[in-house]
Amino acid sequence: MKKYSTFLLFWFCFIFSIGQLPSEVQLPTISLDSALNSEIRVNMAVPSSPAFQLLGGEPSNLLRVSNPREFSIAISDFLSNGSVIIPQNFGVDFSPFMVLENGGLIKDHGKGALFRPLRISFGSQSLPNDSLGSINFAQNIALGLQYTYTKSGSSFQGYKNTLIRALQPLTNDYEMRIDSLRKVYYKKRGTNITKFMATASDSEVKKFLDARNAWCDSVYNTLPSRISEMSFGATVTRVKEKFKRDTWNDFRLDGAMAVKLSSPDTLLTVSIDSVPGPDTTVILKEIGFWGTVSFPLFGTNWLQGMVGGNYTFFRLTSISELQSRFSLNSRFYVGSNRLKGFMEAQYNGNQITGINSFLWLLGTEVNFIDGVWINFYAGLSQDIGSKRNRVVTQMNVHLSLPEKFKSN
């Protein structure tokens, strides 16, 4: 509720500032920008959140890279014995710049655009813990930062520039017709506009221009468009679909880090001797770093490769020394933007156990509904030294704002 109240307050300030503009019709880029603010979201795969990743929300350590989103949610481990439960893993990822920009609070999109791909993420995790003879739930939280470099043509701004160019004929049509209608209005009123503007008072000018603008807009809305086949809605749909089809697998480079804090929930603790143990304080549990690159394969728009690595420092208790583990990943996608399958190989090294392992995965990434993505994983975890194998399966849900969601 607080989030929506903040948006309403910001939007009120924006509307008030627009209301201070002169009543003279300016170039229609103002109305065009307003229309664009409702069409800037593109339903592409939701990128992974480093905070969610550090909490073990994905079976793979690969940080899935995609076009940045202004806001997304990830959940996993929400099924138990066939029943839906409160998710054990929960993550939120958002871009402060994109939230402000898409809400209409940043008008000069060139300034600060460098910060558009920067996202902040946080997540939480609840795990049963019966250490030291107690029955409680260990609480983990994680905070992360992530930055994605995207080619100019396949970035958010690249899509917006393409859409603006496609809508330019409509804008030109509006300019030409409004200019003609103004001349008709002056002739009907018998007004010499140059003389009137030079001699009339400010209040008279304002009243005249308000009446003129209202009349021109009312007449314009009744006229058939010269380019009806390129109506606003059809143009936006065409540009979006082509953008998603052509750029979902483009080159992207992603870097991220996250920290995990851990503490038992002492309110739920039932200790045998009622004396807090050494792990009842909040400790810095892990610090993780990721790097991922994605790229098209063989010049097609239905194949994508992705390689990445993770290096994490961790400790088991508040008095343990820092240990480290790392992973190297490669993933191969085949399909389209909304439906694709993948196979992945991951190599893991762990300093504390000295046991290296492989993770072999097959999976799907499906967008059933606008803004809702479901990832399903199935595979085999294989310890090299001990020769132990186990089956891995998991389903995650990633949520983002739908394309038609309006934040203003």
Side-chain angles (χ1 to χ4, degrees):
M1 188 66 184
K2 183 178 179 181
K3 177 184 71 175
Y4 291 109
S5 299
T6 302
F7 268 117
L8 289 174
L9 177 60
F10 284 162
W11 184 236
F12 175 80
C13 295
F14 178 68
I15 290 294
F16 179 81
S17 65
I18 291 296
Q20 307 309 305
L21 295 175
S23 56
E24 170 70 60
V25 171
Q26 304 295 324
L27 290 178
T29 52
I30 294 176
S31 59
L32 178 59
D33 281 347
S34 177
L36 286 174
N37 281 340
S38 65
E39 301 293 347
I40 45 79
R41 293 176 187 86
V42 181
N43 189 27
M44 302 180 79
V46 179
S48 298
S49 159
F52 186 71
Q53 200 87 354
L54 196 62
L55 293 172
E58 307 271 358
S60 164
N61 284 334
L62 181 70
L63 201 67
R64 199 260 190 266
V65 61
S66 182
N67 275 21
R69 296 295 190 92
E70 59 188 306
F71 179 80
S72 64
I73 295 174
I75 56 176
S76 65
D77 296 331
F78 48 87
L79 296 176
S80 178
N81 298 323
S83 301
V84 178
I85 61 174
I86 297 176
Q88 292 184 8
N89 295 309
F90 179 86
V92 175
D93 185 279
F94 70 98
S95 165
F97 188 93
M98 291 182 73
V99 169
L100 295 173
E101 183 179 40
N102 297 349
L105 300 173
I106 296 179
K107 302 180 182 64
D108 189 344
H109 304 299
K111 290 184 178 180
L114 182 65
F115 299 101
R116 184 181 293 114
L118 178 66
R119 282 102 71 205
I120 299 172
S121 63
F122 61 91
S124 65
Q125 179 187 50
S126 297
L127 295 174
N129 180 12
D130 59 0
S131 63
L132 301 177
S134 61
I135 302 172
N136 56 52
F137 285 84
Q139 302 294 317
N140 296 326
I141 64 170
L143 302 172
L145 287 175
Q146 185 174 12
Y147 191 92
T148 303
Y149 167 78
T150 307
K151 287 172 54 179
S152 58
S154 54
S155 67
F156 166 82
Q157 192 59 46
Y159 158 73
K160 194 168 183 179
N161 291 340
T162 302
L163 184 57
I164 290 175
R165 287 194 296 269
L167 293 171
Q168 198 60 48
L170 294 176
T171 304
N172 291 337
D173 177 62
Y174 178 87
E175 290 176 356
M176 290 185 295
R177 293 190 175 203
I178 288 296
D179 185 61
S180 298
L181 288 173
R182 288 173 183 171
K183 295 176 181 177
V184 171
Y185 184 78
Y186 301 151
K187 186 175 181 179
K188 286 171 60 71
R189 292 286 302 268
T191 302
N192 183 321
I193 188 63
T194 302
K195 183 178 180 180
F196 176 79
M197 295 293 288
T199 58
S201 65
D202 291 343
S203 60
E204 291 174 331
V205 170
K206 183 179 185 307
K207 184 178 180 180
F208 176 83
L209 294 181
D210 285 344
R212 182 204 66 179
N213 295 342
W215 182 86
C216 290
D217 285 338
S218 65
V219 175
Y220 173 80
N221 290 334
T222 66
L223 298 176
S225 174
R226 295 178 185 174
I227 45 176
S228 58
E229 71 277 5
M230 292 184 63
S231 63
F232 180 81
T235 301
V236 170
T237 299
R238 174 176 57 82
V239 171
K240 275 189 178 181
E241 293 307 312
K242 186 177 188 304
F243 180 82
K244 288 184 284 190
R245 182 176 62 252
D246 294 345
T247 68
W248 74 266
N249 65 338
D250 268 2
F251 174 85
R252 295 175 181 87
L253 183 63
D254 190 281
M257 70 164 292
V259 297
K260 181 168 79 173
L261 303 177
S262 180
S263 173
D265 187 342
T266 54
L267 294 177
L268 298 178
T269 299
V270 181
S271 179
I272 291 178
D273 54 8
S274 299
V275 177
D279 291 332
T280 58
T281 57
V282 175
I283 64 171
L284 177 60
K285 191 85 170 184
E286 298 183 22
I287 305 176
F289 301 89
W290 291 264
T292 312
V293 60
S294 67
F295 45 88
L297 291 172
F298 309 115
T300 69
N301 61 359
W302 51 273
L303 293 174
Q304 183 185 42
M306 200 173 291
V307 295
N310 164 252
Y311 200 92
T312 299
F313 297 97
F314 68 97
R315 54 184 175 185
L316 299 177
T317 69
S318 59
I319 58 177
S320 299
E321 293 184 358
L322 283 174
Q323 307 291 332
S324 66
R325 64 174 181 264
F326 72 92
S327 63
L328 298 173
N329 302 71
S330 63
R331 185 180 291 184
F332 173 77
Y333 282 100
V334 56
S336 61
N337 177 56
R338 295 189 61 184
L339 175 62
K340 60 183 78 71
F342 65 85
M343 56 183 179
E344 179 180 346
Q346 173 177 292
Y347 174 80
N348 301 292
N350 192 316
Q351 179 185 0
I352 195 170
T353 63
I355 298 177
N356 299 329
S357 63
F358 285 105
L359 178 66
W360 312 96
L361 289 174
L362 293 175
T364 60
E365 189 175 86
V366 186
N367 172 224
F368 287 105
I369 305 172
D370 185 14
V372 180
W373 292 77
I374 296 179
N375 300 337
F376 179 76
Y377 304 84
L380 185 69
S381 177
Q382 183 180 46
D383 289 346
I384 299 174
S386 63
K387 296 183 180 180
R388 292 186 302 176
N389 301 325
R390 62 186 177 90
V391 172
V392 176
T393 62
Q394 188 169 355
M395 184 176 73
N396 299 331
V397 177
H398 294 261
L399 310 172
S400 63
L401 296 177
E403 287 186 348
K404 295 300 182 182
F405 178 85
K406 293 179 173 58
S407 56
N408 50 15

